[in-house]
Amino acid sequence: MSRLLTAAVRIAKPAQVCRQAPRLAQATVASQSRLFHSAQPALYNYDKDIYGFRTPRVFETPDYSEAERANRNTNANLVQDMALINVWVGNGDNQAANVDPLNITHSEEIFQLDPARYGIPELSKSYDVQGIVHVGEAEDCAKGKSKATLEEILSHLRRAYCGRIGYEFTHIPNLSERKWFAQLVESYNYKKLEKSEKQRIFELLSKSEVFDHFMAKKFPQVKRYGLEGSESMMIVLDTLFKEANGAGVRDVVLCMPHRGRLNLLTDLLEYDPTALFHKVKGNSEFPEDIPGSGDVLSHLATSVDLNYGHKTPVHVAMLHNPSHLEAANPVALGKARAKQMYMYEAGQESDCYIGDRVMCVQMHGDAAFCGQGVVTETLGLANLPHFTAGGSVHVIVNNQIGYTTPAMNARSSYYSSDVAKMISCPVIHVNADHPEDVAYATAIAFEYRNKFRKDVIIDLIAYRRMGHNELDEPSFTQPAMYKNIRGRPSVPKLYEQQLMSEGVVTDKSVIENIRKDYFEKLDKHLEASYAYKPKADTVGGKWSNMIVPTEAITKPETGVDVEVLKDVARKSVEVPEGTVVHPRVQKYHIDARLRKVEGGTAVDWASAEAMAFGSLLLEGSHVRISGQDVGRGTFSQRHAMLVDQETERTTIPLNRMQPTDATKSRQGKLEIANSSLSEFAVLGFEYGVSWETPNRLCIWEAQFGDFFNGAQIIIDTFINSGEAKWLRQSGLVMLLPHGYENGGPEHSSCRIERFLQLCDASFDVSKPRADVNMHVVNPSTPAQYFHVLRRQLHRPYRKPLIIASPKSLLRHPLATSPLSDMAPGTTFQPVLPDASIKDPTAVEKVIFVSGKLYYELVKERASRQGLDNTVAIVRIEELCPVPIEELKEVIGTFQNAEEWVYVQEEPQNQGSYTFIEPRLKQLLPLGAQLKYHGRKPSAAPATGISKRYKLEQDQVVKGAF
């Protein structure tokens, strides 16, 4: 039980054992919805077969009793809208509270708080307060009075709402949550901390201050983004971790920006100061034999077990982050969700509510929280059934300035936290100069999160003693603010004075020795850093079987027994008894798939995908695909989930399979996560999932190929460079519909050139590298797509995979594959030679192409007499890593070819040409030239004028010959 909230205030104690239903003293569970099962069919018309679907956990506090309702009517002037009590709770709570240590917001008396405005001038008049306001007894504030004078009421409200903590919760639409919050706040019973607890707070504050002073003295030219002025952040996190540990949380996933990161790492998360100082001096955090690029000082991360005296410690994993503020937030949310899912799938926590064992903590800066759109996108995921992690605790370290921009220029809202009201998130504002109030506010925030499994915000209103970094001069732009700051004692010194005045510490030399000892400890670590040799910070546990790829292991066999594939295909469209499917789905999807699979010679794209998913499920792996409309598919091709046309109940047929004798394994699950209309947050979320679960096929599908550009920051700072910077592998797959079907310039291209530019493949083909940072493919057959999906989990390493997936090929009569191309012994082919060429020595011209243009070129060649055996069309299916050996072999067969052409639909400055050309030309025969044929350079990926498009496409296809 918390030391900061008494038993009377903690209205509903969270379940300590997941397999027992929560016992509530004054609340009842309205929905016993578990991790993957809805108990609210009226609201969510999905059945239990929807793996991963989680409805919100709902609590209801008892409604007002008859006596309370009668009393509210009798004293209507106390309870009517905009009347006295509501004004105190809804307005006086934050604007009149003393939450700003710098008093920039000018806390003042609110005129609406004058009781005379409501016809209640007599302060001595007694009122029945039952059902209106909780007024505590003098001895025990948690025990409420039935009657109180107006003077007592106002005094109590001032104490509850106008102290150093301000609350915003009246905007929450749920009455139960509002009542819970009001009773908790009005039962103000802040239990006095014991001496040891006060000493713990002082120790953390002092260590943070000493660390910043040590760094300033030893490394005066290093930008460390210190915590001076906001040291109470340490108290927030220490309290959160302690409360979480006591409530049974095993894992905390933490993300944060640069401010105070080094303080937290060394002072609370037990990061080795020797390793830190080694890095500060310009050395690598990796051993010399690891080729990783590393990252800057303020992006370091760690994971640690923290022991707070409970049976098991709490594991805290701080994530690496890029310089782009808030970009790590959805990654942390995805990782936290995946951790809880892993526990369920491993059979460890089958009856847990989501969030019982894992908590996500997201740290923010005040300017970034209201300024970065990814915050809004991530908040939008908080309560979605396939994205919720059971409630995040957000901590805004509010310096009241963004770099050099004051709040009046940084946001249009009163508080930086106001954007969170979009999800009805309660906010607790607290004055960072008062660490004990900070601890109490944090305990309240955790209690709310742990009960309602929803997001909550702690707005830690503080200041920044130095500039944006320690080399800045903040007085250039904020002279008055910094005159105020530099005249203030530090937070640790203020708390030291409090402890001295309370008699907790009577000998000041004890305090001085604490600081001196820590400074000397850091000095010893600095000395040790000169001989320090870093160890590889690679992940263990679930990732312990992963290796660095070599050429010999990049091409695993991924074929599956044909009878198993047929069985999977049948079951992928098996309609549960009583389900009524749409007639078009029945005719063009279900019946068509069964017919094609039974024939075994013309399997289409969606069927190959279903067989890839299903075969992985039978092998015990899980598959998650998310994005906008992924259940049906943007082009109505997937239909992985079937919707009953009468009840709207939904089922995923692949989750109803049973393991066959050939697999003999526990079946995995397919999670279809139709997402919000977000790219940035959702892609970041899926990347976080992929970080946590190496044996899950994680896929994000863009609605159209170029929609990824709304998430470019995640691609640039995580997907393409995460392994190089942090040694963290990811097997995330990005499906990007790509192709020139005259769909308009905004939808025609997945901008494949951008991904290829980000690839670190060698330009020198004589020195190829298997360990490229990403794989980029443009498959032209369903079998190729089948194999490349399965390959993601069959290799003993993980790499992000970018797939330029098709649009027109989804139903193209020639873009089909026989089941034999997916049978045992088959695998993904990085290069597909021209199987129609009977005599390679007769070939005079070789055309290299990638993707769906191949079919148009084949059709054009067939229409021209005499070209069947003189022009070869070679498909490059994998663009990165460039398939050098395969290309050498194919090129070597055309001994008499005189013309070599690379053809693409995209403009010359786009597409794959600029990446392939400098590498491919090194593989051609001596003296041979590689010609380009395609559209001219262009600013837009395609024209939106249909007549011009048709003319251009005709020129591309015909001109190739």
Side-chain angles (χ1 to χ4, degrees):
M1 180 161 300
S2 170
R3 294 290 306 166
L4 303 172
L5 300 176
T6 65
V9 175
R10 291 168 68 101
I11 295 175
K13 183 179 178 181
Q16 297 299 310
V17 180
C18 275
R19 288 178 173 79
Q20 296 177 357
R23 295 181 179 180
L24 310 176
Q26 300 181 38
T28 59
V29 181
S31 169
Q32 291 290 339
S33 61
R34 292 296 184 181
L35 194 60
F36 309 111
H37 177 63
S38 167
Q40 299 174 308
L43 181 61
Y44 297 110
N45 222 5
Y46 294 82
D47 65 18
K48 64 181 181 181
D49 196 45
I50 302 305
Y51 169 80
F53 189 96
R54 185 265 183 195
T55 57
R57 187 182 189 187
V58 178
F59 282 87
E60 290 181 356
T61 53
D63 196 3
Y64 296 111
S65 66
E66 279 191 36
E68 288 174 332
R69 285 197 297 271
N71 184 55
R72 288 171 66 83
N73 290 330
T74 301
N75 294 293
N77 57 341
L78 280 176
V79 299
Q80 63 180 324
D81 291 341
M82 292 304 294
L84 183 59
I85 302 301
N86 283 342
V87 170
W88 272 94
V89 176
N91 294 306
D93 58 347
N94 47 73
Q95 294 181 38
N98 179 26
V99 295
D100 180 7
L102 300 182
N103 200 28
I104 292 175
T105 54
H106 302 294
S107 297
E108 57 188 26
E109 292 292 334
I110 307 300
F111 72 91
Q112 294 102 320
L113 303 183
D114 183 358
R117 290 176 55 85
Y118 306 92
I120 319 175
E122 299 180 24
L123 295 179
S124 60
K125 183 178 179 180
S126 180
Y127 292 90
D128 189 329
V129 295
Q130 295 182 84
I132 300 175
V133 62
H134 178 95
V135 180
E137 300 282 359
E139 305 80 21
D140 184 2
C141 196
K143 183 179 179 182
K145 293 182 176 182
S146 61
K147 290 189 176 183
T149 66
L150 179 59
E151 185 173 21
E152 290 176 314
I153 293 172
L154 296 182
S155 175
H156 178 69
L157 290 175
R158 182 177 297 278
R159 181 187 179 198
Y161 290 106
C162 290
R164 293 184 288 261
I165 306 175
Y167 306 91
E168 290 188 273
F169 61 85
T170 57
H171 60 281
I172 301 175
N174 185 285
L175 175 62
S176 294
E177 293 178 42
R178 294 199 307 273
K179 285 186 65 181
W180 181 90
F181 236 116
Q183 182 173 344
L184 187 147
V185 174
E186 292 163 16
S187 301
Y188 188 89
N189 196 5
Y190 187 175
K191 188 175 181 66
K192 288 187 177 181
L193 297 180
E194 295 179 357
K195 182 177 180 180
S196 61
E197 293 171 313
K198 290 175 179 282
Q199 289 173 337
R200 169 70 173 175
I201 290 175
F202 179 70
E203 176 189 0
L204 287 171
L205 295 174
S206 297
K207 288 173 71 175
S208 179
E209 185 174 49
V210 169
F211 177 82
D212 278 325
H213 290 174
F214 181 87
M215 294 292 289
K217 180 177 180 179
K218 302 294 184 177
F219 303 100
Q221 298 304 311
V222 171
K223 298 177 182 179
R224 67 181 184 279
Y225 304 102
L227 198 55
E228 293 166 285
S230 304
E231 289 94 344
S232 287
M233 182 193 85
M234 304 292 289
I235 310 307
V236 172
L237 292 171
D238 189 50
T239 304
L240 269 181
F241 300 156
K242 178 174 63 177
E243 294 290 302
N245 193 200
V249 172
R250 295 178 183 174
D251 286 274
V252 174
V253 179
L254 169 69
C255 66
M256 69 178 298
H258 45 271
R259 179 77 52 206
R261 191 179 188 93
L262 303 185
N263 302 64
L264 180 61
L265 281 169
T266 54
D267 301 338
L268 182 57
L269 300 186
E270 302 177 4
Y271 191 86
D272 184 1
T274 301
L276 177 69
F277 297 143
H278 176 81
K279 175 68 176 175
V280 172
K281 291 186 290 186
N283 299 307
S284 171
E285 61 268 44
F286 307 144
E288 294 181 358
D289 59 338
I290 291 182
S293 66
D295 204 356
V296 297
L297 184 65
S298 55
H299 297 172
L300 293 176
T302 192
S303 61
V304 62
D305 289 329
L306 298 179
N307 195 332
Y308 286 96
H310 298 284
K311 184 176 181 180
T312 57
V314 60
H315 182 78
V316 179
M318 177 197 277
L319 302 191
H320 295 276
N321 71 293
S323 294
H324 290 73
L325 295 175
E326 312 296 326
N329 295 359
V331 179
L333 188 64
K335 185 177 175 68
R337 160 88 179 196
K339 274 185 175 291
Q340 184 77 64
M341 296 282 283
Y342 177 81
M343 291 179 183
Y344 174 83
E345 289 153 358
Q348 299 173 2
E349 302 287 349
S350 59
D351 291 334
C352 265
Y353 285 95
I354 195 163
D356 279 358
R357 291 290 179 255
V358 183
M359 180 174 70
C360 182
V361 178
Q362 300 175 40
M363 308 286 289
H364 313 269
D366 51 314
F369 191 83
C370 57
Q372 295 294 308
V374 68
V375 173
T376 305
E377 289 190 34
T378 306
L379 287 170
L381 301 179
N383 300 319
L384 299 183
H386 290 281
F387 295 88
T388 179
S392 296
V393 178
H394 301 264
V395 182
I396 300 175
V397 181
N398 192 337
N399 295 312
Q400 309 189 69
I401 190 172
Y403 209 150
T404 65
T405 304
M408 63 178 292
N409 291 335
R411 63 177 184 264
S412 297
S413 57
Y414 189 81
Y415 284 113
S416 61
S417 58
D418 285 346
V419 65
K421 290 180 180 177
M422 64 174 274
I423 60 167
S424 305
C425 182
V427 183
I428 303 174
H429 308 275
V430 60
N431 191 321
D433 265 6
H434 300 274
E436 292 182 18
D437 290 282
V438 170
Y440 179 63
T442 303
I444 292 175
F446 175 78
E447 187 71 5
Y448 172 85
R449 178 266 172 199
N450 215 40
K451 174 174 299 302
F452 296 103
R453 291 294 191 270
K454 294 183 179 180
D455 288 27
V456 61
I457 292 176
I458 301 168
D459 184 16
L460 182 69
I461 303 180
Y463 57 87
R464 190 184 69 196
R465 184 167 291 276
M466 310 299 287
H468 177 67
N469 62 67
E470 289 69 26
L471 307 184
D472 280 343
E473 176 46 70
S475 293
F476 289 160
T477 50
Q478 278 76 35
M481 181 183 196
Y482 275 87
K483 183 178 181 181
N484 182 346
I485 289 172
R486 286 166 177 164
R488 300 177 59 79
S490 69
V491 177
K493 291 292 172 60
L494 285 173
Y495 194 59
E496 173 189 324
Q497 294 170 12
Q498 176 185 327
L499 297 186
M500 293 288 288
S501 66
E502 292 176 353
V504 175
V505 178
T506 56
D507 187 354
K508 194 165 185 178
S509 64
V510 173
I511 293 174
E512 292 172 351
N513 286 336
I514 290 174
R515 293 193 171 104
K516 180 183 176 183
D517 290 347
Y518 191 55
F519 193 96
E520 291 176 351
K521 177 183 176 181
L522 292 175
D523 218 6
K524 291 178 181 178
H525 281 287
L526 177 59
E527 183 64 28
S529 69
Y530 290 96
Y532 177 76
K533 300 294 182 183
K535 297 179 181 179
D537 182 24
T538 54
V539 285
K542 297 185 288 289
W543 290 84
S544 58
N545 293 328
M546 296 294 113
I547 65 171
V548 175
T550 64
E551 188 65 30
I553 57 145
T554 57
K555 302 166 187 174
E557 288 189 7
T558 47
V560 177
D561 183 87
V562 170
E563 291 306 315
V564 172
L565 293 179
K566 285 184 176 182
D567 189 54
V568 168
R570 295 185 198 106
K571 290 178 178 177
S572 71
V573 290
E574 191 173 81
V575 181
E577 185 177 354
T579 299
V580 180
V581 299
H582 195 284
R584 289 177 60 185
V585 173
Q586 182 69 49
K587 180 178 180 180
Y588 296 108
H589 179 69
I590 298 175
D591 294 344
R593 175 169 298 176
L594 292 174
R595 186 173 60 254
K596 291 174 182 178
V597 169
E598 291 307 322
T601 58
V603 176
D604 64 8
W605 212 274
S607 298
E609 179 186 79
M611 289 188 288
F613 290 170
S615 58
L616 288 171
L617 299 181
L618 290 177
E619 293 167 3
S621 297
H622 299 284
V623 178
R624 175 183 166 98
I625 178 169
S626 83
Q628 299 148 21
D629 315 297
V630 295
R632 190 200 77 167
T634 297
F635 309 103
S636 197
Q637 85 283 4
R638 181 171 290 122
H639 293 290
M641 58 199 318
L642 301 178
V643 181
D644 190 303
Q645 296 301 293
E646 295 181 355
T647 66
E648 283 198 8
R649 291 179 71 89
T650 304
T651 185
I652 298 175
L654 282 175
N655 283 341
R656 303 171 70 90
M657 298 188 301
Q658 294 297 324
T660 66
D661 291 338
T663 56
K664 294 182 180 178
S665 63
R666 181 172 176 266
Q667 182 183 323
K669 291 293 185 180
L670 169 62
E671 183 170 9
I672 301 292
N674 286 324
S675 75
S676 61
L677 200 66
S678 159
E679 288 83 36
F680 195 162
V682 173
L683 182 60
F685 185 99
E686 301 307 326
Y687 185 79
V689 172
S690 75
W691 254 5
E692 180 61 27
T693 50
N695 294 321
R696 183 190 307 274
L697 180 62
C698 301
I699 302 174
W700 177 76
E701 182 175 57
Q703 190 177 96
F704 290 94
D706 64 328
F707 278 20
F708 76 86
N709 52 26
Q712 190 69 55
I713 289 174
I714 295 295
I715 296 164
D716 289 344
T717 58
F718 283 100
I719 294 175
N720 89 294
S721 57
E723 185 176 5
K725 293 187 294 187
W726 311 314
L727 305 185
R728 297 294 185 266
Q729 293 187 17
S730 165
L732 180 66
V733 178
M734 293 179 64
L735 287 182
L736 308 176
H738 175 81
Y740 280 63
E741 286 87 17
N742 198 29
E746 72 275 16
H747 293 333
S748 58
S749 173
C750 76
R751 297 288 196 171
I752 200 167
E753 67 279 355
R754 294 189 184 176
F755 294 96
L756 292 172
Q757 186 185 29
L758 294 173
C759 291
D760 61 0
S762 173
F763 277 85
D764 186 349
V765 299
S766 67
K767 299 176 181 179
R769 53 179 301 182
D771 188 23
V772 294
N773 60 330
M774 296 190 298
H775 286 239
V776 182
V777 301
N778 190 4
S780 61
T781 73
Q784 289 283 80
Y785 180 52
F786 168 88
H787 285 299
V788 82
L789 289 177
R790 287 180 49 79
R791 189 180 72 171
Q792 278 298 95
L793 294 189
H794 277 260
R795 297 185 297 193
Y797 62 91
R798 298 290 177 261
K799 292 287 181 180
L801 173 63
I802 315 302
I803 301 180
S805 56
K807 294 185 285 186
S808 65
L809 295 192
L810 292 173
R811 296 179 177 87
H812 197 291
L814 297 180
T816 61
S817 298
L819 283 173
S820 59
D821 283 357
M822 295 172 256
T826 59
T827 187
F828 177 76
Q829 302 296 320
V831 175
L832 289 178
D834 195 334
S836 69
I837 299 297
K838 306 303 180 185
D839 181 10
T841 61
V843 171
E844 300 172 1
K845 181 176 186 175
V846 179
I847 294 176
F848 296 99
V849 68
S850 184
K852 71 101 173 171
L853 183 60
Y854 164 78
Y855 294 97
E856 296 177 60
L857 294 175
V858 167
K859 182 180 178 181
E860 179 65 22
R861 181 179 63 179
S863 70
R864 294 174 179 244
Q865 192 173 8
L867 297 185
D868 288 352
N869 203 42
T870 60
V871 177
I873 304 176
V874 177
R875 285 171 278 178
I876 302 179
E877 301 278 289
E878 185 160 45
L879 298 166
C880 182
V882 177
I884 295 171
E885 295 305 317
E886 291 84 353
L887 283 171
K888 281 182 179 179
E889 183 178 350
V890 171
I891 290 171
T893 64
F894 303 121
Q895 302 173 8
N896 298 321
E898 297 179 352
E899 189 175 0
W900 307 82
V901 185
Y902 194 85
V903 182
Q904 68 175 28
E905 297 176 288
E906 302 91 338
Q908 189 173 6
N909 60 317
Q910 300 170 38
S912 55
Y913 172 70
T914 54
F915 179 84
I916 288 291
E917 186 268 343
R919 297 165 173 88
L920 183 56
K921 70 180 183 180
Q922 297 177 57
L923 302 174
L924 297 181
L926 186 64
Q929 297 295 317
L930 180 65
K931 297 179 181 179
Y932 165 80
H933 182 71
R935 286 173 168 84
K936 296 178 181 179
S938 171
T943 177
I945 303 169
S946 60
K947 289 184 178 179
R948 183 180 298 172
Y949 164 80
K950 292 176 183 177
L951 178 61
E952 288 179 353
Q953 191 72 1
D954 192 56
Q955 291 171 344
V956 169
V957 175
K958 292 183 178 179
F961 297 93

